[in-house]
Amino acid sequence: MKTLANLSLTAILAAGVALPAMAEVQERTLTLSNGVSETHPVADGVAAMRECIVDKTDGKWTLNAFWSSSLGDDLQATQALRSGTQEMVITSTSPLVGIEPALGVFDLPFLFADESEADAVLDGDFGDMISGKMENSGLINLAYWENGFRNLTNSLHPVTKLEDFEGMRVRVMQNNIFLDTFQNLGANAMPMAFGEVFTALETKTIDAQENPYVTIDTSKFYEVQDYLSATRHAYTPFMLLFSKPIWDSYSDEEHAILKECGAVGRDAQRAASRALSSKSLAAVQEAGMSFNEVDPAEMERIREAVQSVYEKHAETIGSDVVEAIRAKLDEIRG
Ligand code: TK8
């Protein structure tokens, strides 16, 4: 009996040793969703990430991407990740503040001055600290991709001064900091999921929305909006999130592939986003939008009008988080 038991134990051990080696990279189909259209620079990032994944897995993985909120909006898709029914989402951080309040730090108005500051914060220790917090909520952040600097479009009049916001029905993301920012500007801020914005603009349920040039262009907002004003009032990132319950069932080698290819996608996506931005600005004007810069003195008044948002939301975001990003920005700015 004893010998038999020992024998089978040896057999199990042998199998146990052999199994992980064979199973390091399994056949898998990954579902990835996002809210933008297939013409948005996110698609360039997804294509680069897919090529990397196919290469690193010898074609064992298939990456299926779904566009234009077809698998649900940012928040719904993120909840599907948390419950382990979907692998990946590329989402704005802003609608996820109910899941992780610290993400609200990126919604603070006029936080970043330019893309290089955003990259340094997101790809450095501050970005890692925020990513670490996501794990408590069943989410792995593989990388920060670019949504970009946001600008206002509307159907009423050019926005050239603070008073032009008065009473304007502006769609904002489902996020209290954005809500508060636009209320401080005198607008009538209306939270709404991204997938509903085009129709709401078309039916005149709202007058205005704000997004980066590439999104205004690729979502065809120029068809339902007349004025575009360069407000650059916030830089919101995208996160490339992976389901933690699914992640936990993957091997270390598979984790490394996801991390590496998520960063490959990020680099391609940021490059595409930055290359398209000025082209998008020209394209929407060609399509009939009237564009204006805002006078620096008026921008200063707009900045002042929203400053109280920092203090008001510091506690919800986490005072330590707000202080940490301020310190990081001071360090970058020298
Ligand atoms: C797309 C959104 C979009 C965001 C918004 O799902 O909601 O306005 O800027 O890019 O994440």
Side-chain angles (χ1 to χ4, degrees), residues 323-334:
E323 265 157 42
I325 204 162
R326 281 213 153 113
K328 183 76 197 175
L329 285 168
D330 283 349
E331 178 194 315
I332 294 166
R333 290 168 187 169

Side-chain angles (χ1 to χ4, degrees), residues 127 131 134 139-144 238-242 259:
S131 296
M134 303 310 290
L139 298 162
I140 303 289
N141 182 31
L142 295 174
Y144 294 92
F238 280 135
M239 286 196 298
L240 172 66
L241 294 176
F242 200 91
K259 282 260 176 205

Side-chain angles (χ1 to χ4, degrees), residues 281-318:
L281 177 56
V284 299
Q285 290 177 82
E286 253 158 62
M289 289 189 98
S290 115
F291 171 73
N292 70 282
E293 298 276 359
V294 184
D295 186 73
E298 283 301 328
M299 275 318 298
E300 200 43 49
R301 290 181 68 223
I302 291 169
R303 272 172 184 270
E304 270 164 32
V306 299
Q307 267 315 301
S308 62
V309 169
Y310 277 73
E311 207 175 313
K312 189 170 165 197
H313 294 274
E315 206 180 311
T316 315
I317 295 166

Side-chain angles (χ1 to χ4, degrees), residues 42-285:
V42 160
D44 299 272
V46 170
M49 180 167 67
R50 180 184 285 120
E51 205 183 297
C52 172
I53 281 175
V54 169
D55 177 47
K56 302 266 172 233
T57 64
D58 291 326
K60 281 190 189 164
W61 288 8
T62 307
L63 178 64
N64 289 333
F66 293 82
W67 306 94
S68 305
S69 312
S70 57
L71 294 188
D73 63 35
D74 283 351
L75 186 56
Q76 288 166 332
T78 303
Q79 298 296 19
L81 265 62
R82 299 177 74 195
S83 57
T85 56
Q86 179 178 319
E87 284 81 10
M88 299 167 99
V89 67
I90 294 164
T91 174
S92 290
T93 51
S94 313
L96 310 188
V97 288
I99 296 173
E100 177 46 66
L103 291 176
V105 74
F106 301 124
D107 302 313
L108 292 169
F110 303 106
L111 181 73
F112 295 132
D114 54 34
E115 283 88 357
S116 70
E117 275 190 11
D119 291 355
V121 168
L122 297 168
D123 301 343
D125 47 1
F126 184 86
D128 289 347
M129 183 269 287
I130 297 288
S131 296
K133 287 180 185 283
M134 303 310 290
E135 291 193 32
N136 305 330
S137 302
L139 298 162
I140 303 289
N141 182 31
L142 295 174
Y144 294 92
W145 289 23
E146 179 161 276
N147 191 346
F149 280 98
R150 308 178 74 90
N151 295 289
L152 188 83
T153 69
N154 81 94
S155 57
L156 303 177
H157 48 243
V159 170
T160 61
K161 58 182 183 307
L162 178 58
E163 287 72 18
D164 292 330
F165 287 95
E166 191 60 43
M168 194 178 266
R169 295 170 303 171
V170 183
R171 174 268 176 173
V172 292
M173 292 182 283
Q174 301 114 305
N175 175 285
N176 279 336
I177 299 173
F178 268 87
L179 187 78
D180 206 22
T181 298
F182 279 87
Q183 277 172 351
N184 273 289
L185 295 173
N188 183 356
M190 300 168 79
M192 192 182 289
F194 182 73
E196 293 162 30
V197 176
F198 186 94
T199 306
L201 291 169
E202 193 175 34
T203 58
K204 308 245 186 260
T205 310
I206 50 173
D207 307 309
Q209 69 83 43
E210 42 78 49
N211 255 298
Y213 298 142
V214 294
T215 302
I216 295 164
D217 178 18
T218 59
S219 295
K220 302 192 173 165
F221 289 155
Y222 52 80
E223 290 182 358
V224 287
Q225 294 277 267
D226 299 322
Y227 304 101
L228 168 58
S229 307
T231 48
R232 285 173 67 90
H233 51 273
Y235 176 104
T236 53
F238 280 135
M239 286 196 298
L240 172 66
L241 294 176
F242 200 91
S243 161
K244 183 152 191 306
I246 301 176
W247 173 270
D248 289 341
S249 71
Y250 281 27
S251 68
D252 290 348
E253 189 177 340
E254 291 174 320
H255 291 165
I257 291 168
L258 285 168
K259 282 260 176 205
E260 186 178 340
C261 296
V264 165
R266 171 197 67 205
D267 294 344
Q269 192 264 345
R270 282 183 187 161
S273 173
R274 288 160 200 185
L276 186 65
S277 190
S278 53
K279 287 184 195 149
S280 283
L281 177 56
V284 299
Q285 290 177 82

